[in-house]
């Protein structure tokens, strides 16, 4: 049995339209193409888990404290506090997550 490193990535922008989100999405394409073990955790409108082979995407619903910083860019000061939910993997074990996608 071969041990492998699993990477958890927490970008501050993922769904937005900016340079960080574009670079993050290119990284995700690279990871998926090479079937690397990877978890992408980002803020979103809902909490949801999508599993594709070795790749897992965890979207965490933004808190009511989130606010708009720029057009299409929201900041959630409590996002990192919710990042501990990433340890609830695999996908089916995340409370309140929509795993139907």
């Amino acid at each position: 049995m071969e041990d492998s490193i699993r990477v958890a990535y927490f970008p501050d922008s993922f769904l937005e339209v900016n340079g960080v989100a574009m670079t993050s999405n290119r990284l995700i394409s690279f990871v998926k193409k090479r079937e690397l073990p990877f978890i992408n955790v980002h803020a979103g409108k809902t909490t949801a888990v999508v599993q594709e082979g070795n790749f897992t995407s965890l979207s965490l619903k933004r808190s009511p404290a989130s606010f708009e910083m720029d057009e299409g860019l929201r900041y959630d000061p409590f996002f990192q506090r919710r990042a501990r939910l990433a340890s609830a993997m695999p996908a089916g074990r995340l409370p309140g997550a929509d795993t139907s996608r």
Side-chain angles (χ1 to χ4, degrees):
M1 179 179 195
E2 182 180 319
D3 289 333
S4 63
I5 296 174
R6 184 171 187 99
V7 175
Y9 179 57
F10 296 81
D12 63 351
S13 290
F14 188 72
L15 301 174
E16 297 78 12
V17 179
N18 61 38
V20 173
M22 181 183 69
T23 303
S24 295
N25 281 285
R26 286 184 178 171
L27 174 62
I28 298 307
S29 294
F30 174 87
V31 165
K32 286 180 177 180
K33 188 181 293 185
R34 286 159 183 79
E35 299 179 357
L36 300 171
F38 198 91
I39 298 173
N40 179 49
V41 183
H42 63 276
K45 292 182 179 183
T46 62
T47 295
V49 177
V50 177
Q51 182 80 42
E52 300 175 30
N54 287 331
F55 174 77
T56 303
S57 179
L58 171 58
S59 175
L60 298 174
K61 183 177 180 179
R62 287 185 178 92
S63 75
S66 68
F67 56 90
E68 190 169 71
M69 293 181 60
D70 198 359
E71 186 177 337
L73 178 62
R74 296 193 66 81
Y75 175 71
D76 185 350
F78 299 113
F79 173 69
Q80 291 298 324
R81 292 182 66 201
R82 300 198 59 225
R84 70 181 183 275
L85 288 177
S87 66
M89 295 292 136
R93 297 188 184 160
L94 185 66
D98 176 6
T99 58
S100 61
R101 290 193 230 176

